[in-house]
Amino acid sequence: MHAVQFAAHGDRDVIEYAEVPDPEPGPGEVLVDVKAGALNHLDLWTRRGLPGIDLEMPHTPGSDAAGVVADVGTNVDRFDRGDRVAVAAGTSCGTCEFCRDGDPTLCPDFAIIGEHRPGVHAELAAVPAENLVPVPEGVDWTTAAAAPLVFGTAWRMLHTRADVTAGERVLVLGASGGVGHAAVQIAAHAGCEVFATASTAPKREHAADCGADHVIDYEATDFADRVRELTDGRGVDVVVDHVGAATYPDSLASLAKGGRLVTCGATTGPNPDAGLNRIFWNQLSVIGSTMATPGELDDVLELVWDGTFEPRIRETLPMSETAAAHRLLENREGFGKVAVIPDSER
């Protein structure tokens, strides 16, 4: 079979679409005939190299994929050959206090397929059965591949961690990205007044189409000032920020008294000034969030499968052109997710 791989960390030129041996499912694993995959910013960081993560090379990236069960290993009773499935990328030990309490995202051994272990951007992928979810008939493969990671992440951020309620004001930064466009849809569905930032007119139009009530050109104006103008000086109740150091000060400044900043990433850097004076005086909460529990993922995917939520696909490319897919993400081109299709499926 062929798989996306890199043998060393580096720029896009390290990416190959190489011929490799077909995997075989081990105990508790399912062999998936991959029909589509999708990229996340995590794929860029994994390719470049992350501190503290020592990957076995060559490494196959990819946390998002969907396809058909081709074979099952021993001790698998949830899936049979021919079943339609999508990948849920978070893995955990299953036995620690957090796993036993129903929140594997807090597991000390929590890891992500494609980041800490081999990924699924290949023609075939052996995946633990517990990391697969059923995909109903009628759901197209790119939707099934693109939805789980970003919609699960955004759902947990808003519903579990920030605990949004109808009528609250929610600001979503980077609304054109995977998590951002999912968060806009989820916040709107929850009955919130949604503010979204995006850099170009087409991106702002897409954000509005996803449910944003107010769209802000963050390159033309300070978004915190604009939020204050739009809310008569009050600010918003919740900020969804996965951008990091570049936006963190203005994210805090956008919050109303008692507001919550929820973050799942730090694309522009992990170490901004803490802003403790603003946090304690305005009694703000800064909340971390990572991925989603199986229950949270089931809840949000039900709404993807029935069409309530829609993963927007900015581009679909053959897997052999994964380097071009990385370029689209790095250059912030387009709105939504980038999908990749095994060349054998095209």
Side-chain angles (χ1 to χ4, degrees), residues 17-110:
Y17 193 55
E19 188 171 352
V20 299
D22 290 4
E24 295 185 4
E29 290 186 333
V30 170
L31 185 66
V32 179
D33 179 4
V34 174
K35 302 300 182 182
L39 273 76
N40 301 282
H41 271 277
L42 179 60
D43 293 298
L44 307 183
W45 296 116
T46 302
R47 186 202 79 218
R48 296 168 185 165
L50 288 162
I53 299 179
D54 186 15
L55 296 175
E56 181 178 344
M57 296 293 185
H59 177 73
T60 295
S63 304
D64 277 332
V68 176
V69 173
D71 199 2
V72 297
T74 58
N75 304 321
V76 174
D77 54 18
R78 289 184 60 219
F79 299 103
D80 293 312
R81 291 179 182 86
D83 286 350
R84 294 162 52 90
V85 295
V87 174
T91 68
S92 61
C93 74
T95 59
C96 71
E97 60 178 304
F98 302 106
C99 289
R100 293 197 309 272
D101 199 38
D103 196 342
T105 68
L106 296 174
C107 176
D109 294 327
F110 187 77

Side-chain angles (χ1 to χ4, degrees), residues 158-159 162-170 187 190-193 237-238 260:
L158 286 163
H159 281 292
D163 193 22
V164 296
T165 58
E168 288 193 305
R169 290 165 165 165
V170 175
C192 300
E193 182 179 356
D237 301 288
V238 173
R260 295 99 74 197

Side-chain angles (χ1 to χ4, degrees), residues 113-155:
I113 291 171
E115 178 183 12
H116 305 92
R117 57 173 290 168
V120 290
H121 286 176
E123 292 177 342
L124 296 167
V127 182
E130 62 190 16
N131 287 102
L132 295 173
V133 295
V135 175
E137 292 287 344
V139 176
D140 67 82
W141 290 122
T142 53
T143 293
L149 192 147
V150 295
F151 276 87
T153 297
W155 183 270

